[in-house]
Amino acid sequence: MQKNNKTVKLVTIAFFIAMEIILTRYLSVDVAGIARIGFGFLPVAMIAIIYGPWWAGGAYALGDVLGMLVFPKGAFFPGFTLSAFLTGMLFGLILYKKDITWKRTIIASVIIVTCIDLMLNTYWLHILMGQGYLAMLPLRITKCVFEIPVQVILIPIVWNKVFKKIPVVRDSVAAA
């Protein structure tokens, strides 16, 4: 099998997008309509590790749009798609072609959770819902306090113990 097989790359990314949609839409908990706690970050982090920032950003943005079209939970808002793209980009910039260590994962998670999830997504919710930005912060901060350790623990474990050992994934990383 060729190491740079474009079909394998597209199928792998499509698989991770499908996983992201399922984990985000079905295996997450919405809290008061302004916070969602889930595991949709995992497939995006895996794409970022394997294929880099552009693929991860594009895949997460596409996953956001497809998830909204297939399983709508309100009106589409492009701000969240931008946040998804930026999240994938940041994961890729920090994790691509690097050893996936606890330190590196802490850096990625803290930046993404504080800058994108807390600040930017709270602003999008402020625009959409008309609630005060500062009024939403306590619940959103609480969400972030739980989200950072979950990401820091799961990303290295899932990468190093599961995906890194799959031959197709290992070959993709080696070819990059």
Side-chain angles (χ1 to χ4, degrees), residues 8 46 51 76 129 139 145 156 174:
V8 171
M46 298 305 112
Y51 297 115
F76 173 75
M129 301 173 78
L139 179 60
V145 166

Side-chain angles (χ1 to χ4, degrees), residues 140-167:
R140 306 254 330 137
I141 289 170
T142 304
K143 170 201 181 268
C144 292
V145 166
F146 288 103
E147 195 170 2
I148 290 171
V150 169
Q151 287 189 14
V152 168
I153 291 167
L154 288 180
I155 291 170
I157 288 173
V158 169
W159 172 251
N160 291 313
K161 302 291 184 192
V162 179
F163 286 105
K164 188 177 179 180
K165 296 179 180 186
I166 298 171

Side-chain angles (χ1 to χ4, degrees), residues 31-92:
V31 181
I34 63 169
R36 183 184 336 187
I37 299 171
F39 302 99
F41 66 89
L42 270 172
V44 177
M46 298 305 112
I47 295 170
I49 292 167
I50 300 166
Y51 297 115
W54 290 104
W55 285 102
Y60 202 10
L62 181 60
D64 180 69
V65 172
L66 290 174
M68 188 62 211
L69 290 173
V70 178
F71 307 107
K73 286 189 177 184
F76 173 75
F77 184 72
F80 292 116
T81 305
L82 174 62
S83 291
F85 177 79
L86 292 172
T87 297
M89 287 291 292
L90 286 169
F91 270 133

